[in-house]
Amino acid sequence: MSEKKGVLQGFKEFLMRGNVVELAVAVVVGAAFTNIVNAVVKGVINPIIGALGSQNLDNYKSCLSNSCHPDKKTGAFTDGIFILWGSVLSAALTFLITAAVVYFLMILPMNKWKDRQAAKKPVDDTPADPTEVELLMEIRDALLAQRNGSAPASATVIKQKSQP
């Protein structure tokens, strides 16, 4: 029973970590945002590109062989080898627009906010405490001095601690 409680407790701690919750929110927002970007690409970008040809980028394709024959009614290729470069272009535009909006509307303001928060923190002017290595070196030096008879070890350590 305690093992199950430990597993459930561990799972709860995993879910309550900030980065897991933030990731879940990002996925939900990203999924909703994808619909907006797709609507912008279909409603604005495709008609602009469509001024040069078809409004639907999926209609842009190229034939790799001489045997491509389009259907006269639908315009779709019935045989041959063709590349649908229009759908690739549409997907690339969607990605670029999504990345730009995420960067300029989410990442950039968040970085500026973090910089302001960091600037508000008080600066710590106190000197850092000595590290373990520095303390061990002081003890070694004090023991060597005591062994050589130049000064008592306690006086050396006390003198070093009282110095600013």
Side-chain angles (χ1 to χ4, degrees):
M1 185 72 178
S2 64
E3 187 175 311
K4 284 186 179 181
K5 185 176 180 182
V7 171
L8 292 177
Q9 182 65 25
F11 183 67
K12 179 182 175 186
E13 290 173 4
F14 170 74
L15 289 179
M16 291 299 128
R17 288 184 189 161
N19 53 0
V20 172
V21 174
E22 290 171 3
L23 180 62
V25 170
V27 168
V28 170
V29 169
F33 184 69
T34 300
N35 292 332
I36 295 171
V37 172
N38 287 335
V40 169
V41 169
K42 283 184 179 180
V44 177
I45 303 297
N46 287 355
I48 291 172
I49 294 176
L52 305 172
S54 172
Q55 281 192 350
N56 187 359
L57 288 180
D58 293 336
N59 291 338
Y60 290 102
K61 46 187 132 183
S62 297
C63 184
L64 289 179
S65 64
N66 293 335
S67 63
C68 294
H69 300 290
D71 185 7
K72 292 180 181 178
K73 292 181 182 176
T74 63
F77 289 110
T78 56
D79 58 352
I81 301 170
F82 53 93
I83 296 176
L84 302 173
W85 60 270
S87 60
V88 174
L89 178 64
S90 178
L93 288 172
T94 302
F95 171 76
L96 287 175
I97 291 170
T98 303
V101 170
V102 166
Y103 178 75
F104 289 113
L105 294 182
M106 296 176 187
I107 302 297
L108 196 62
M110 181 61 94
N111 287 342
K112 288 183 180 181
W113 180 78
K114 285 181 179 179
D115 290 343
R116 282 194 304 256
Q117 295 301 319
K120 289 180 182 179
K121 288 184 179 178
V123 178
D124 189 17
D125 291 335
T126 59
D129 292 333
T131 63
E132 288 181 30
V133 174
E134 292 172 340
L135 289 174
L136 289 172
M137 289 172 56
E138 288 179 14
I139 293 169
R140 180 200 63 200
D141 294 342
L143 289 173
L144 284 174
Q146 183 183 13
R147 184 186 311 162
N148 293 336
S150 62
S154 59
T156 307
V157 174
I158 291 172
K159 183 177 177 185
Q160 288 178 352
K161 284 186 177 181
S162 64
Q163 291 177 350

